[in-house]
């Protein structure tokens, strides 16, 4: 049994280790033994908090998806325009290419949201692993459905705010949010599959152009 008072950190270490393991070895290659090795604890500690691999996978997926919402919410300010809020959103859900391989995965809030980080390459690999698994796993489907429904509502609220403030012109904020999120998911898959646009640019400009239709920027 883990030491008293260590539970939050142990749980965080195990989740971070699970995401690291999935990124490096794939969903099928992730085992409780490997997770324990990456977390620097015993397999018994991992099993104490997460009863089996499926339970651990679901909790890691929840933390992976929650990471984006937490980062976005922490950076959006009331003084921002709707366009700036969308820019913050896109920065996290479809980040620009970056060289950050030396940094480690951390989806824990224990040391503050500003310390949370997932390297670009890990984001891409985790996205592919989780979503390919979710195609056949109903439990993972429920996780992503709940997360994306909340995301859709958040994006729609930004579009509504833009309309109210005269900063945007959006006929149907719900449909606009659905289109933007669906586009992000599709572009993310294309990135992982290494399918660049014909011009060879970072495909995130396609989302930026979509938003410009509403902002006139």
């Amino acid at each position: 049994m883990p030491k008293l008072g260590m539970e939050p950190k142990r749980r965080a270490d195990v989740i971070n280790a699970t995401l690291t393991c999935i990124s490096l070895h794939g969903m099928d290659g992730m085992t409780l033994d490997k997770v324990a090795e990456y977390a620097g604890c015993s397999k018994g500690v991992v099993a104490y908090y997460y009863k089996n691999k499926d339970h651990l996978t679901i909790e890691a997926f929840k933390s992976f998806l929650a990471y984006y919402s937490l980062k976005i919410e922490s950076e959006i300010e009331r003084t921002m325009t709707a366009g700036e809020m969308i820019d913050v959103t896109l920065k996290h859900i479809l980040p620009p290419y970056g060289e950050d391989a030396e940094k480690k995965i951390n989806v824990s809030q224990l040391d503050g949201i500003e310390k949370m980080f997932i390297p670009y390459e890990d984001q891409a690999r985790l996205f592919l692993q989780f979503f390919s698994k979710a195609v056949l796993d109903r439990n993972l489907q429920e996780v992503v459905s709940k997360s994306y429904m909340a995301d859709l509502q958040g994006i729609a609220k930004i579009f509504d705010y833009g309309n109210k403030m005269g900063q945007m012109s959006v006929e149907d904020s719900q449909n606009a949010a659905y289109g933007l999120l669906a586009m992000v998911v599709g572009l993310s898959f294309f990135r992982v599959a290494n399918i660049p646009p014909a011009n060879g640019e970072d495909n995130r400009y396609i989302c930026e152009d979509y938003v410009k239709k509403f902002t006139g920027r």
Side-chain angles (χ1 to χ4, degrees):
M1 182 174 175
K3 293 180 180 179
L4 188 64
M6 288 293 289
E7 180 172 346
K9 186 177 188 309
R10 280 300 192 197
R11 283 183 178 276
D13 288 345
V14 170
I15 290 297
N16 286 334
T18 301
L19 293 174
T20 299
C21 195
I22 291 173
S23 178
L24 293 175
H25 305 289
M27 196 77 77
D28 293 335
M30 184 269 282
T31 65
L32 298 190
D33 286 306
K34 285 181 180 176
V35 169
E37 180 182 348
Y38 284 111
C41 64
S42 68
K43 180 180 177 180
V45 170
V46 177
Y48 177 80
Y49 292 123
Y50 306 99
K51 57 186 178 181
N52 53 41
K53 180 177 176 177
D54 288 341
H55 181 208
L56 183 55
T57 299
I58 289 171
E59 293 306 312
F61 191 25
K62 289 179 180 178
S63 294
F64 174 66
L65 293 175
Y67 164 85
Y68 296 95
S69 297
L70 289 167
K71 295 293 281 188
I72 291 168
E73 289 171 4
S74 71
E75 292 186 19
I76 286 182
E77 301 175 358
R78 292 180 178 274
T79 56
M80 288 180 172
T81 65
E84 290 170 337
M85 293 178 183
I86 289 293
D87 287 343
V88 169
T89 302
L90 288 180
K91 182 183 76 171
H92 289 292
I93 62 176
L94 193 66
Y97 288 116
E99 297 294 333
D100 48 23
E102 72 283 355
K103 297 184 179 180
K104 295 182 179 181
I105 294 174
N106 176 31
V107 294
S108 169
Q109 301 180 59
L110 290 180
D111 295 323
I113 293 178
E114 68 279 1
K115 298 290 186 180
M116 296 173 67
F117 189 77
I118 306 178
Y120 178 83
E121 290 296 332
D122 289 302
Q123 290 189 43
R125 289 194 291 261
L126 288 167
F127 181 88
L128 179 61
Q129 287 294 324
F130 278 123
F131 280 79
S132 60
K133 186 75 171 178
V135 172
L136 300 175
D137 190 314
R138 189 165 188 83
N139 291 323
L140 293 181
Q141 288 175 17
E142 291 177 358
V143 172
V144 74
S145 176
K146 183 177 181 180
S147 176
Y148 275 7
M149 286 301 293
D151 291 342
L152 285 171
Q153 292 303 313
I155 295 171
K157 285 182 180 179
I158 294 176
F159 284 139
D160 284 336
Y161 176 72
N163 275 340
K164 180 180 179 180
M165 302 303 293
Q167 299 164 352
M168 287 183 171
S169 179
V170 185
E171 290 185 8
D172 188 325
S173 61
Q174 294 291 333
N175 279 340
Y178 190 95
L180 180 59
L181 191 56
M183 193 179 300
V184 166
V185 172
L187 292 173
S188 296
F189 269 115
F190 271 37
R191 279 182 163 192
V192 176
N194 195 26
I195 306 175
N199 58 18
E201 293 183 29
D202 183 342
N203 66 14
R204 74 190 311 274
Y205 81 86
I206 296 171
C207 275
E208 293 171 341
D209 286 348
Y210 177 81
V211 173
K212 287 177 182 177
K213 294 178 181 180
F214 305 123
T215 62
R217 291 189 297 171

